[in-house]
């Protein structure tokens, strides 16, 4: 999550309890949970009594969801612990299928039993506060009732028969479910992290995995409606494989990430930057390397303490994330030093000027920071010096670019700090025996 670099960066509150939330997210949580209760009550009061087949189907979905949870409990506990922004619950396969096939009252039973089981077996052992699980269940209940409302408008039940019209209905229900559930989750995350960007949180939550999970839920609903209900068990194994694959990817991302800032660590940054340079060389594109060093960072640690210094490092990392493109690479090199690789620039588009522009935006963003630290209050007056080197002026080798950018950084520091320096291109090497320019020659 990247706050706007020119704004004030406040620390995210420690929302281990419901009352620990700031006012705005607290109000949203209470409104959403109240709305969920109201939707459930309205569904129970206005809905027709369930028939025997619907009750049996509800019991089957509860049973299969419980089996799924038990088989994946260890992987899901680990996934929940290492989730960066929000944890995607893959049992939405069963809650979405319930929304498509059951009346709202019975679909509510599937959601409530499923989320209670998830809390006891996954969330609580992982340290998730109860109010977060309750809020997640409330958003799913509202999503289920949004699907029920959509089905009521078309006077039908999705899944049977398997026609193009019902396929479109399932797709529409998927959109409605996703819109309600995802937007409510992202909204509360946005409110608990002032300065963060809605779109960054949305895309950072692996929306693709969520849509894939709901798509499987739609297929499960079609199978349940047109064949024996026990065929739903066939969906469990693919879900377990997807969960394991997702877990491996999350663990790989964690290995590549600097724990304090969320940026790439030095090894991951070097490896990915070399790949970027090789790609740009093949496609005749230019690249740039920026080395950034926080000015007088030792004084920050000495005055405010190392915990406040960690908050400052995170704030600077947020500025870098906000000011570079998704295809660029930002990393922490150690201590108070950061690196950025900018790729894919046109060689005829003055890459040095483009890189300087990005570096200046970062420098101004750091200069404008007001970091509300957890231990020492507000930290201001920060600045950063930046050294820039580009291809092809300094070659296409990463180590050569780093050396040139480091020399430029030294120039920025020597010139007074809080500035950007671009390394001048190396002069061409004259061939042996060639006449020096302007006809000048030197000898002994």
């Amino acid at each position: 999550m990247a706050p706007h670099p020119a704004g004030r960066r406040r620390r995210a509150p420690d929302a281990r309890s419901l009352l620990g939330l700031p006012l705005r997210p607290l109000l949203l949580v209470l409104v959403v949970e109240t709305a969920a209760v109201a939707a459930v009550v309205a569904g129970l009061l206005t809905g027709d009594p369930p028939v025997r087949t619907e009750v049996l189907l509800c019991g089957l979905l509860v049973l299969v969801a419980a089996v799924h949870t038990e088989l994946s409990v260890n992987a899901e506990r680990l996934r929940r612990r290492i989730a960066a922004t929000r944890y995607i619950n893959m049992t939405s396969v069963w809650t979405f299928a319930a929304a498509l096939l059951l009346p709202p009252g019975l679909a509510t039973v599937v959601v409530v039993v499923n989320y209670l089981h998830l809390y006891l077996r996954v969330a609580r052992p992982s340290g998730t506060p109860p109010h977060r699980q309750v809020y997640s269940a409330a958003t799913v209940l509202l999503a289920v009732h949004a699907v029920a409302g959509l089905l009521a408008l078309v006077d039908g039940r999705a899944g049977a028969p398997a026609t193009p019209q019902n396929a479109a209905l399932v797709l529409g229900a998927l959109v409605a479910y996703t819109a309600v559930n995802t937007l409510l989750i992202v909204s509360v995350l946005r409110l608990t992290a002032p300065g963060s960007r809605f779109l960054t949180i949305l895309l950072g939550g692996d929306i693709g995995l969520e849509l894939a999970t709901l798509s499987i839920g739609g297929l499960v609903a079609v199978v349940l409606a047109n064949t024996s209900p026990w065929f739903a068990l066939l969906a469990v194994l693919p879900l377990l494989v997807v969960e394991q694959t997702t877990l491996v990817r999350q663990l790989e991302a964690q290995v590549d990430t600097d724990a304090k800032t969320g940026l790439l660590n030095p090894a991951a940054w070097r490896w990915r930057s070399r790949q970027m340079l090789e790609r740009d060389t093949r496609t005749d594109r230019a690249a740039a390397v920026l080395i950034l060093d926080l000015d007088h960072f030792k004084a920050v640690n000495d005055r405010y303490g190392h915990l406040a210094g960690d908050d400052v490092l995170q704030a600077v990392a947020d500025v870098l994330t906000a000011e570079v493109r998704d295809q660029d690479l930002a990393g922490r090199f150690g201590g108070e030093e950061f690196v950025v690789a900018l790729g894919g620039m046109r060689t005829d588009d003055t890459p040095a000027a483009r890189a300087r522009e990005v570096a200046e935006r970062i420098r101004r963003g750091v200069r404008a920071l007001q970091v509300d630290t957890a231990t020492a209050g507000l930290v201001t007056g920060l600045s950063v010096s930046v050294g820039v080197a580009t291809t092809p002026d300094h070659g296409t080798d990463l180590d050569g670019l780093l050396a040139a950018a480091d020399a430029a950084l030294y120039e920025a520091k020597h010139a007074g700090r809080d500035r950007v320096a671009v390394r001048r291109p190396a002069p061409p090497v004259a061939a042996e025996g060639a006449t020096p320019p302007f006809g000048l020659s030197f000898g002994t």
Side-chain angles (χ1 to χ4, degrees), residues 85-86 182 186 197-208 326:
T85 53
R86 71 176 188 271
T182 302
V186 173
R197 295 179 177 179
F198 188 92
L199 188 60
T200 301
I201 302 175
L202 177 64
L203 299 180
D206 207 345
I207 188 68
D326 290 340

Side-chain angles (χ1 to χ4, degrees), residues 106-297:
L106 290 179
T108 296
V109 172
V110 175
V111 174
V112 171
V113 174
N114 181 37
Y115 270 77
L116 179 60
H117 187 208
L118 279 171
Y119 176 71
L120 295 175
R121 297 291 289 143
V122 177
R124 185 170 66 176
S126 302
T128 301
H131 75 273
R132 293 185 185 175
Q133 190 76 356
V134 172
Y135 181 79
S136 296
T139 65
V140 172
L141 285 172
L142 289 177
V144 165
H145 282 77
V147 172
L150 175 64
L151 297 178
L153 286 176
V154 299
D155 193 25
R157 187 70 73 209
T163 63
Q165 292 78 9
N166 269 323
L169 183 56
V170 171
L171 181 60
L174 186 151
V175 172
Y177 188 106
T178 303
V180 173
N181 183 38
T182 302
L183 291 180
L184 289 176
I185 293 294
V186 173
S187 294
V188 77
L189 290 173
R190 168 68 180 82
L191 291 176
T192 54
S196 58
R197 295 179 177 179
F198 188 92
L199 188 60
T200 301
I201 302 175
L202 177 64
L203 299 180
D206 207 345
I207 188 68
L209 176 62
E210 194 157 4
L211 292 174
T213 302
L214 294 176
S215 298
I216 296 175
L219 294 174
V220 167
V222 173
V223 170
L224 290 175
N226 291 280
T227 63
S228 169
W230 294 104
F231 276 96
L233 290 170
L234 295 177
V236 173
L237 181 58
L239 286 174
L240 295 177
V241 173
V242 171
E243 286 165 345
Q244 291 294 332
T245 303
T246 305
L247 175 60
V248 169
R249 189 183 63 183
Q250 288 177 310
L251 290 172
E252 288 175 345
Q254 192 175 46
V255 169
D256 288 345
T257 302
D258 174 67
K260 286 186 177 180
T261 63
L263 302 177
L264 294 173
N265 61 33
W269 184 87
R270 282 180 177 271
W271 182 70
R272 296 191 189 185
S273 296
R274 285 195 173 95
Q275 287 186 316
M276 173 190 287
L277 289 173
E278 291 173 0
R279 181 178 64 250
D280 286 347
T281 300
R282 290 194 306 269
T283 57
D284 196 27
R285 293 280 177 167
V289 168
L290 282 58
I291 298 184
L292 309 91
D293 189 78
L294 270 171
D295 299 324
H296 306 297
F297 184 67

Side-chain angles (χ1 to χ4, degrees), residues 196-431:
S196 58
R197 295 179 177 179
F198 188 92
L199 188 60
T200 301
I201 302 175
L202 177 64
L203 299 180
D206 207 345
I207 188 68
L209 176 62
E210 194 157 4
L211 292 174
T213 302
L214 294 176
S215 298
I216 296 175
L219 294 174
V220 167
V222 173
V223 170
L224 290 175
N226 291 280
T227 63
S228 169
W230 294 104
F231 276 96
L233 290 170
L234 295 177
V236 173
L237 181 58
L239 286 174
L240 295 177
V241 173
V242 171
E243 286 165 345
Q244 291 294 332
T245 303
T246 305
L247 175 60
V248 169
R249 189 183 63 183
Q250 288 177 310
L251 290 172
E252 288 175 345
Q254 192 175 46
V255 169
D256 288 345
T257 302
D258 174 67
K260 286 186 177 180
T261 63
L263 302 177
L264 294 173
N265 61 33
W269 184 87
R270 282 180 177 271
W271 182 70
R272 296 191 189 185
S273 296
R274 285 195 173 95
Q275 287 186 316
M276 173 190 287
L277 289 173
E278 291 173 0
R279 181 178 64 250
D280 286 347
T281 300
R282 290 194 306 269
T283 57
D284 196 27
R285 293 280 177 167
V289 168
L290 282 58
I291 298 184
L292 309 91
D293 189 78
L294 270 171
D295 299 324
H296 306 297
F297 184 67
K298 183 178 182 301
V300 173
N301 280 334
D302 291 343
R303 180 178 178 183
Y304 299 101
H306 288 278
L307 293 179
D310 290 346
D311 288 339
V312 168
L313 292 175
Q314 180 61 65
V316 174
D318 290 341
V319 172
L320 265 64
T321 303
E323 294 299 348
V324 302
R325 302 165 301 175
D326 290 340
Q327 63 265 37
D328 297 327
L329 303 171
R332 183 183 177 212
F333 243 31
E336 66 272 27
E337 196 168 67
F338 298 85
V339 282
V340 175
L342 308 173
M345 296 185 290
R346 295 175 55 177
T347 53
D348 59 350
D349 196 23
T350 57
R354 294 287 301 277
R356 176 186 280 277
E357 179 184 345
V358 175
E360 285 288 357
R361 290 203 310 265
I362 294 172
R363 186 193 64 80
R364 291 193 298 268
V366 173
R367 189 67 179 172
L369 278 174
Q370 300 180 60
V371 186
D372 195 359
T373 66
T375 57
L378 201 64
V379 177
T380 60
L382 299 169
S383 67
V384 66
S385 300
V386 188
V388 179
T390 62
T391 64
D393 291 340
H394 303 99
T396 57
D397 175 69
L398 180 61
D399 291 334
L401 289 171
L402 284 171
D406 190 55
L409 174 64
Y410 177 79
E411 293 175 5
K413 291 281 189 181
H414 187 69
R417 297 182 172 86
D418 190 22
R419 63 193 64 219
V420 174
V422 180
R423 187 65 171 169
R424 289 184 294 275
V429 178

